[in-house]
């Protein structure tokens, strides 16, 4: 039986965390560049994008790398008012046991 070791998962999550450098948020058809406001690994790796003063209909949020390539896309339909809003992106990996035939 083959098993992925926890070290491989940890190294892959670290790679993913370093790969994500920002986000693009579409509000009322306008794309805004936003920084990653927070990264957490308390309950699995998560990246957070915080919106503060922007208002309008959020339709798309995308995590991007340093070359502006889309890594994780969330299509949304959220009307944001004056209150702040934080969007979470879980990036957690886990190993699943697979039974081999043979």
């Amino acid at each position: 039986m083959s098993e992925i070791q926890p070290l491989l998962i940890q190294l892959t999550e670290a790679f993913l965390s370093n790969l994500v450098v920002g986000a693009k948020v579409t509000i009322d058809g306008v794309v805004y560049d936003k920084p990653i406001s927070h990264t957490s690994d308390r309950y699995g790796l998560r990246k957070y994008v915080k919106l503060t003063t922007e208002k309008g209909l959020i339709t798309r949020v995308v995590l991007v790398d340093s070359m502006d390539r889309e890594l994780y896309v969330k299509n949304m339909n959220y009307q944001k008012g004056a209150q702040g809003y934080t969007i979470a992106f879980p990036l957690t990996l886990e190993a699943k046991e697979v039974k081999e035939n043979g």
Side-chain angles (χ1 to χ4, degrees):
M1 180 180 344
S2 302
E3 290 184 25
I4 291 177
Q5 299 300 301
L7 177 61
L8 179 58
I9 293 172
Q10 292 168 355
L11 292 172
T12 304
E13 285 182 345
F15 171 77
L16 287 173
S17 184
N18 291 329
L19 189 62
V20 175
V21 299
K24 293 192 174 289
V25 182
T26 305
I27 303 173
D28 288 339
V30 178
V31 178
Y32 297 88
D33 290 321
K34 300 299 285 183
I36 299 301
S37 63
H38 181 66
T39 299
S40 173
D41 61 2
R42 185 171 180 175
Y43 300 107
L45 179 61
R46 292 177 189 271
K47 295 283 185 177
Y48 295 91
V49 177
K50 189 176 205 175
L51 304 175
T52 52
T53 59
E54 302 85 355
K55 294 180 186 177
L57 181 64
I58 302 169
T59 54
R60 192 167 193 259
V61 184
V62 180
L63 295 184
V64 295
D65 68 3
S66 62
M67 296 186 337
D68 241 10
R69 296 178 295 189
E70 295 183 352
L71 303 173
Y72 191 146
V73 177
K74 271 193 180 187
N75 290 310
M76 302 178 69
N77 187 22
Y78 180 77
Q79 186 67 40
K80 183 184 173 302
Q83 299 285 4
Y85 187 65
T86 301
I87 302 160
F89 287 85
L91 298 170
T92 301
L93 303 175
E94 61 183 64
K96 299 271 187 178
E97 184 176 342
V98 177
K99 296 185 180 181
E100 296 177 17
N101 295 329

